[in-house]
Amino acid sequence: MTSAGRGFDVADFLADISHEVRPGRQRPLVVHDEDLRPIPQGAVPNPAPLRIAGALPTTTFELFRQEIPPGGSSDMQRHHHETVHFVIAGEGHSEIERGADENEPEVVAWWTGSFVYTPPWTWHRHFNDSADRPVEFLTIENSRLLDLFGLGRRESAGLVSLAQARAGDQH
């Protein structure tokens, strides 16, 4: 099968993808909170503690449990995948890039029970507005799907504002 250019057929290409993950002992149907694997600090730019439900047999999406300490935030980041954060506990706000021609981010408030959507390739940062309680998110992203096609990309600007992230953006 041709993988690009003349002779390339998208239907044949998609039919050849066989990243099937079958449930079993290594990839169970149920993963409990205590089974989530912590991502070591420094392994990713996000300073907020992340634990991944990576043992689930998902092939197109990823699940994380994320905590933002009191008064803390995530990093300013963007990625090709879509993300939804379900707020398990806490309250805060997010700054999400509106568009290339807008200078100020959209600021959205959220609290326990809210779903926060982050569109693809938009700078964004999440803030815990409490001085004494952590925020807990269940983070759902379709990063595995994009990774299957070699399209996954993430970028972190660190603990900066939208203007600072854009100033460092060379793309």
Side-chain angles (χ1 to χ4, degrees):
M1 175 188 73
T2 305
S3 61
R6 189 187 323 236
F8 175 77
D9 181 75
V10 72
D12 288 342
F13 174 76
L14 292 173
D16 282 348
I17 295 175
S18 61
H19 294 281
E20 184 176 344
V21 178
R22 295 193 180 276
R25 199 166 140 244
Q26 296 297 321
R27 305 285 276 187
L29 292 173
V30 175
V31 172
H32 303 281
D33 185 60
E34 61 270 13
D35 299 325
L36 299 181
R37 295 185 320 232
I39 296 176
Q41 289 293 330
V44 295
N46 195 338
L50 293 166
R51 295 183 301 136
I52 188 168
L56 289 171
T58 61
T59 56
T60 61
F61 64 94
E62 195 70 82
L63 295 163
F64 299 92
R65 185 150 181 183
Q66 180 177 5
E67 182 178 305
I68 300 178
S73 75
S74 67
D75 58 328
M76 179 65 74
Q77 60 179 269
R78 63 183 178 176
H79 34 71
H80 283 169
H81 57 267
E82 294 178 290
T83 302
V84 173
H85 293 281
F86 173 71
V87 184
I88 297 169
E91 60 186 54
H93 71 280
S94 298
E95 295 180 356
I96 302 174
E97 183 177 36
R98 295 173 193 250
D101 57 341
E102 297 282 337
N103 293 326
E104 297 297 320
E106 182 170 355
V107 178
V108 294
W110 40 260
W111 47 86
T112 300
S114 298
F115 291 85
V116 183
Y117 175 73
T118 304
W121 208 241
T122 58
W123 287 110
H124 60 281
R125 189 170 172 191
H126 308 292
F127 296 84
N128 181 347
D129 291 342
S130 172
D132 58 349
R133 290 185 323 258
V135 162
E136 293 183 61
F137 286 139
L138 170 63
T139 303
I140 307 152
E141 57 185 47
N142 66 340
S143 54
R144 285 190 181 188
L145 176 63
L146 295 184
D147 289 344
L148 285 173
F149 293 105
L151 302 173
R153 182 171 176 206
R154 296 176 190 259
E155 193 171 273
S156 173
L159 301 177
V160 301
S161 69
L162 174 60
Q164 291 168 312
R166 284 182 169 171
D169 183 15
Q170 303 300 314
H171 306 285

